[in-house]
Amino acid sequence: MAESIRVERRDDRVVVTLDRPQVRNAIDRRMVDELHEVCAELERDPKILIITGTDGVFASGADIAEMIERTAEDALAGINMNLTIRVARLPMPVIAAVDGYALGGGAELAYAADLRIGTPRAVFGNPETGLGIIAAAGATWRLKELVGEPMAKQVLFAGRRLNAEEALRWGLLGEVVEPDELMPAAHRLADRIAALDAAATRATKAVFAAPRDEHPRVDLEAQAVLFESPEKRRRMAEFLERRARRAR
């Protein structure tokens, strides 16, 4: 049974709530392991994943009380890095619903999501260099893809934090809503995704993530599979029927 997260399972989505409020949802090894268990489940049975926090905090970072004892061997094992890579590679889209602080490893978990929404209290930052380490769970490459290299360097080199308004302006957040609307907004976004063809969504995510030199081959191969699917035929037939009705 999970101790550091709460998991809600629905037909088309899974909601994970980071739940270590006593340490502001700091990410320790137990939480990493429990999130890996959720990832394994979603790899077997692909669904949308929503990740959120508790008590006005997404995640304050990696658990420093645990990190201080980690060694070079632990660093090379990529404990947190492997989690964010796995989250990013899940077959269906991942939504991070961010209220309050998303710092350090918490920010990197949010960066690994496909879509992020937040509240006016959301704050993103990577203070790792102030602790004598680097942001080694994906921020050094994901953040510049999300906000551009100059701003990423501000965050990573100079400890700049991005509030919700800045995160929205720089594209890190897609939407900002009041705290009591955060989860309804996350579910509305999940509803929009769930209304589309799951196979086409999975293929789109996989092709989107493919290296540049694999295009257009991967696009055409994925499209070839979808062109033969019954769901494609059904959805296109319904589209044509709707258009015909409007034309009458």
Side-chain angles (χ1 to χ4, degrees):
M1 181 177 177
E3 296 182 11
S4 61
I5 62 174
R6 288 184 275 118
V7 184
E8 177 191 352
R9 296 173 177 84
R10 301 190 184 185
D11 289 343
D12 57 7
R13 72 199 64 172
V14 170
V15 180
V16 167
T17 302
L18 310 179
D19 192 22
R20 299 185 72 216
Q22 71 279 10
V23 288
R24 305 179 82 183
N25 295 335
I27 301 172
D28 65 354
R29 184 62 184 265
R30 180 181 293 278
M31 183 182 284
V32 168
D33 290 343
E34 290 175 356
L35 289 169
H36 271 298
E37 291 175 9
V38 174
C39 288
E41 176 184 328
L42 294 175
E43 288 161 354
R44 293 190 301 269
D45 181 17
K47 295 179 180 179
I48 300 160
L49 173 61
I50 300 172
I51 305 175
T52 193
T54 49
D55 295 343
V57 177
F58 182 74
S60 60
D63 193 322
I64 302 303
E66 188 177 87
M67 289 283 286
I68 195 171
E69 300 299 333
R70 288 188 183 173
T71 65
E73 184 178 356
D74 294 317
L76 292 172
I79 296 169
N80 291 49
M81 172 74 82
N82 290 332
L83 173 64
T84 61
I85 289 173
R86 196 171 188 181
V87 168
R89 289 178 177 173
L90 286 173
M92 288 291 283
V94 178
I95 300 167
V98 180
D99 184 24
Y101 287 113
L103 301 177
E108 290 177 298
L109 181 59
Y111 302 158
D114 298 289
L115 304 159
R116 285 159 297 279
I117 60 175
T119 73
R121 303 185 298 203
V123 178
F124 297 87
N126 289 95
E128 284 87 349
T129 53
L131 297 169
I133 58 175
I134 70 168
T140 53
W141 81 86
R142 285 198 183 98
L143 188 56
K144 64 184 176 183
E145 293 174 353
L146 293 169
V147 301
E149 187 171 310
M151 180 54 72
K153 287 179 176 178
Q154 288 270 349
V155 174
L156 295 169
F157 298 171
R160 178 169 175 170
R161 294 183 177 184
L162 299 178
N163 62 30
E165 180 182 348
E166 292 170 322
L168 183 65
R169 185 165 68 246
W170 286 91
L172 187 56
L173 288 175
E175 183 180 8
V176 175
V177 298
E178 291 303 317
D180 60 355
E181 271 296 303
L182 181 62
M183 291 312 294
H187 282 294
R188 286 194 296 271
L189 182 54
D191 289 341
R192 293 201 296 273
I193 296 168
L196 308 176
D197 177 33
T201 300
R202 292 196 302 270
T204 299
K205 180 169 178 178
V207 169
F208 190 93
R212 178 65 181 84
D213 61 1
E214 293 187 12
H215 298 279
R217 176 185 56 80
V218 290
D219 306 68
L220 301 179
E221 290 175 351
Q223 192 77 304
V225 173
L226 293 169
F227 269 19
E228 297 297 325
S229 72
E231 185 65 9
K232 167 251 188 179
R233 294 177 183 273
R234 184 188 71 79
R235 285 175 176 264
M236 288 191 176
E238 287 184 354
F239 173 84
L240 293 172
E241 289 171 8
R242 289 194 301 270
R243 188 170 69 178
R245 285 197 299 270
R246 289 195 298 267
R248 291 181 191 138

